[in-house]
Amino acid sequence: MGAERTARIRAAGEEIRSLLDGIEAEGRAAGVAEALLSDLRLCLDELLVNVVNHGAPAPEAEITVHYRLEPDAVAAEIVDAGPAFDPLSLPDPDVDAPLDARVPGGLGIYFVRRLMDEVVYERRDAFNRLRLAKRAVADPATI
Amino acid sequence: MQIVEEPFGSGIVVRPIGRLDSTTAPAAEQAIREAMTRSGHRLLLDMGDLDYVSSAGLRVVLAAAKQSNAASGRFLVCDLKPQVRQVFELSGFTRIISIVATRAEAEL
């Protein structure tokens, strides 16, 4: 089992990218499957941007990210002190709608739902906690 | 983010380089909107140098498609890398955006 790491960033867009670059580099060093790492990066990006845009009370506010990187599994938890908000309560966007009927929004959370095996929201001790996890799909060649 | 623009066919090709995410999307959206207008709404978005696109980046693509559509223009994207193709497929953009494999196959 890989050790759990913790990172703290200010609730500002430019801090998200450097955090994700760091997690990606650590993941590569730990031998995490590229596809898993790519999915984790996208999902963390979508959720953190969501917290910054809608949840966090101020740019000085802190967001905490706990994460665990293993060759065949990744997990993370995002903790913020913003107003209670469950992003999973949003309806899925209509991905079958024609161009004219498309409205921006909702795709980020939809990606998280589709790409992760587990996504759990919890409001506890005045913090939003969003937990996500995914295991690598077993390679048929190794079974 | 660096965005390279050059004439292409009867319009313009725009090639953003790097990551199209929430930090780069506003500048990219403005650059593409202006290029779209200058090109007479005939624009190819070459995604071959984009390693990563998030939902904020897809918003830029959607805005370009709608702008072109409203002017009865032509908007194509080409050269989707694996992660970019993945988000296009998940979001259903493969059904509403005209995609060609390479720039050589694009006609404007």
Side-chain angles (χ1 to χ4, degrees):
Chain A
M1 289 286 272
E4 182 176 286
R5 306 283 304 269
T6 297
R8 290 186 176 82
I9 59 169
R10 284 184 306 114
E14 64 272 20
E15 298 231 345
I16 295 174
R17 185 185 280 211
S18 54
L19 169 71
L20 297 180
D21 284 348
I23 291 177
E24 202 163 67
E26 283 177 45
R28 291 222 169 86
V32 179
E34 273 302 316
L36 264 190
L37 212 48
S38 169
D39 289 352
L40 178 67
R41 181 180 184 124
L42 177 66
C43 292
L44 284 177
D45 189 4
E46 300 293 357
L47 291 167
L48 289 168
V49 166
N50 210 53
V51 170
V52 169
N53 288 348
H54 305 293
E60 309 83 64
E62 249 190 11
I63 306 173
T64 303
V65 182
H66 305 287
Y67 58 97
R68 189 188 293 273
L69 305 168
E70 297 165 31
D72 61 351
V74 291
E77 184 180 32
I78 297 172
V79 183
D80 75 85
F85 175 64
D86 177 4
L88 304 175
S89 66
L90 297 173
D92 279 344
D94 181 1
V95 297
D96 294 316
L99 178 62
D100 289 344
R102 287 288 185 131
V103 285
L107 281 176
I109 300 302
Y110 178 71
F111 292 163
V112 177
R113 281 185 208 274
R114 289 284 309 271
L115 293 175
M116 290 290 127
D117 295 338
E118 186 191 339
V119 191
V120 180
Y121 170 82
E122 189 185 8
R123 178 77 180 180
R124 179 152 47 92
D125 305 331
F127 289 95
N128 295 305
R129 295 170 180 273
L130 201 97
R131 217 164 56 235
L132 49 161
K134 179 167 181 155
R135 299 198 72 82
V137 179
D139 181 352
T142 62
I143 294 175
Chain B
M1 148 174 273
Q2 198 194 342
I3 300 174
V4 179
E5 189 186 310
E6 51 194 310
F8 184 82
S10 63
I12 288 178
V13 58
V14 174
R15 179 168 54 93
I17 301 168
R19 296 178 180 277
L20 189 52
D21 61 15
S22 64
T23 60
T24 55
E29 180 160 1
Q30 188 182 347
I32 292 169
R33 187 171 52 236
E34 289 170 5
M36 181 73 81
T37 304
R38 270 200 311 280
S39 70
H41 301 91
R42 301 183 71 77
L43 189 134
L44 169 65
L45 179 61
D46 184 339
M47 304 187 91
D49 286 307
L50 278 178
D51 297 319
Y52 174 80
V53 173
S54 72
S55 66
L58 290 185
R59 201 178 276 244
V60 174
V61 176
L62 180 65
K66 281 178 176 276
Q67 186 187 355
S68 167
N69 210 33
S72 303
R74 186 161 167 79
F75 174 64
L76 300 171
V77 302
C78 74
D79 215 348
L80 276 53
K81 290 191 164 189
Q83 189 274 339
V84 181
R85 176 158 290 280
Q86 178 191 33
V87 294
F88 264 67
E89 284 172 357
L90 282 172
S91 59
F93 272 33
T94 45
R95 293 188 288 273
I96 56 170
I97 306 286
S98 302
I99 303 167
V100 293
T102 63
R103 193 187 280 210
E105 288 166 47
E107 277 184 39
L108 278 187

